[in-house]
Amino acid sequence: MYVLPPLSLYINVPWCVRKCPYCDFNSHESQGDIPEADYITALIEDLKQDLHWVQGREIQSIFFGGGTPSLLSARAYDTLFDGLTRHLSFNDNIEITLEANPGTFEAEKFNGYRRAGINRLSMGIQSFDPEQLKKLGRIHDKEQALRAIDMARDAGFDNFNLDLMHGLPDQTPEQALLDLDTALAFHPPHLSWYQLTIEPNTDFYKRPPVLPEDDILWDIQEQGQARLAEAGLKQYEISAYARPGRQARHNINYWRFGDYLGIGAGAHGKITIAGPEGHRVLRSQKARLPKRYLDQTRQFLSATDIIASDDIAFECMMNALRLHSGISITDFEQRTGVTLDSLSKPMQKAESLGLIERAQVNDQDYIRASERGKQYLNELLSLFLTD
């Protein structure tokens, strides 16, 4: 019997104060005041057009991304949650995360966010080094970053994430580890620690900075992971570390091939449809430009695409192998509508190379990357791409 996967909600807030040179997200520099009242109205109308995809499920998690969602007022989020709860059923233990830029922190605003129902913050620190912050185009400085963490705690956010980059332009291992030590001094429940990569359609792609050599990057990674483990933060995904019970449930739903509605300018969604026609997985995208999204004469939805049945299993595995725990065979088969046998060729190859392993967790059979597979994850994933 087919079981629909858990359902999350992603809400995109596309404006930011200044576009960072490494950023390839759908974010746009705000020109004057943000039309937040019109945008909240549009978000609710956008949601209403997607309600047929809910299919009776509760919302397990909500994530506000961007852009800079912390540019919106607490009053805007009050209005938005009033609309969301009229149309959706929230799980009693729902996780609601808001991405926040330290340069936009105001104590009363964040008290208001907490009262509105947001119960988790993800703070885009990136670095505490003044020179690196300038190179990265961040609008905050070191002192603002430090104050932001204290402000979040004072506002009642005991569940928060610190976003931190390493492998920054000309960065030494000592500088990278100092950033990490500064973050760890706050005893964060969750830390996203990832290497800077140069993405197309960014200023860094057009004018590449000088990044550390591979041996320096490996040294940073090795020493950093040891310090994170000593601090009690367990790695559960490629770049995510958490204390027990503080893993990002919204992101885990992505990686386990769960479903998510996507509303807001440029938001993406992934929805499973089970009916008489069989099992289908649909991807959606909303109008990308804020002005276009707010145009009431046009549709919010700009594109939909049914994932080919031959590709569903591969997409699921590509996501699930990011997690150290992998995915249960039951979840894999329920969420793809196919059996694991459909991947027999790449599975056999991966197992013969010692890159993947099977395990039993709570009486369920799991597939996960082996210790060797975690070290050579790109090579492991390529086996599924080139089958």
Side-chain angles (χ1 to χ4, degrees), residues 27 108 152 241 335 380:
S27 58
E108 186 50 41
Y241 304 77
R335 296 178 188 190
L380 171 55

Side-chain angles (χ1 to χ4, degrees), residues 75-93:
R75 180 179 300 177
Y77 284 104
D78 276 328
T79 304
L80 178 56
F81 278 111
D82 284 344
L84 294 176
T85 53
R86 281 200 302 270
H87 299 289
L88 296 169
S89 176
F90 288 4
N91 182 276
D92 289 341
N93 194 33

Side-chain angles (χ1 to χ4, degrees), residues 21 131-132 135-136 166-172 175 195-198 203-214 216-217 220:
E131 290 304 313
Q132 290 293 356
K135 293 175 186 177
L136 294 173
H166 61 87
L168 303 180
D170 298 312
Q171 189 178 48
T172 66
Q175 291 169 334
Q195 183 181 322
L196 170 65
T197 57
I198 306 301
D203 284 349
F204 273 179
Y205 186 80
K206 298 171 189 172
R207 293 175 289 277
V210 178
L211 300 182
E213 298 289 339
D214 286 347
I216 294 176
L217 293 174
I220 291 171

Side-chain angles (χ1 to χ4, degrees), residues 44 108 227:
I44 297 302
E108 186 50 41
R227 294 192 188 193

Side-chain angles (χ1 to χ4, degrees), residues 303-370:
T304 59
D305 177 46
I306 298 292
I307 302 176
S309 58
D310 290 344
D311 294 333
I312 290 175
F314 295 101
E315 288 213 18
C316 179
M317 195 63 75
M318 292 283 291
N319 282 279
L321 290 177
R322 292 174 59 96
L323 288 170
H324 280 211
S325 61
I327 189 170
S328 73
I329 294 176
T330 299
D331 281 350
F332 172 84
E333 294 185 344
Q334 286 183 346
R335 296 178 188 190
T336 62
V338 299
T339 67
L340 188 60
D341 290 341
S342 65
L343 292 178
S344 60
K345 184 178 177 182
M347 280 292 296
Q348 288 171 7
K349 180 72 170 175
E351 287 183 291
S352 70
L353 293 172
L355 299 176
I356 207 166
E357 64 186 18
R358 299 172 190 253
Q360 267 218 332
V361 181
N362 298 326
D363 296 325
Q364 288 199 63
D365 293 322
Y366 271 71
I367 309 156
R368 65 190 184 195
S370 65

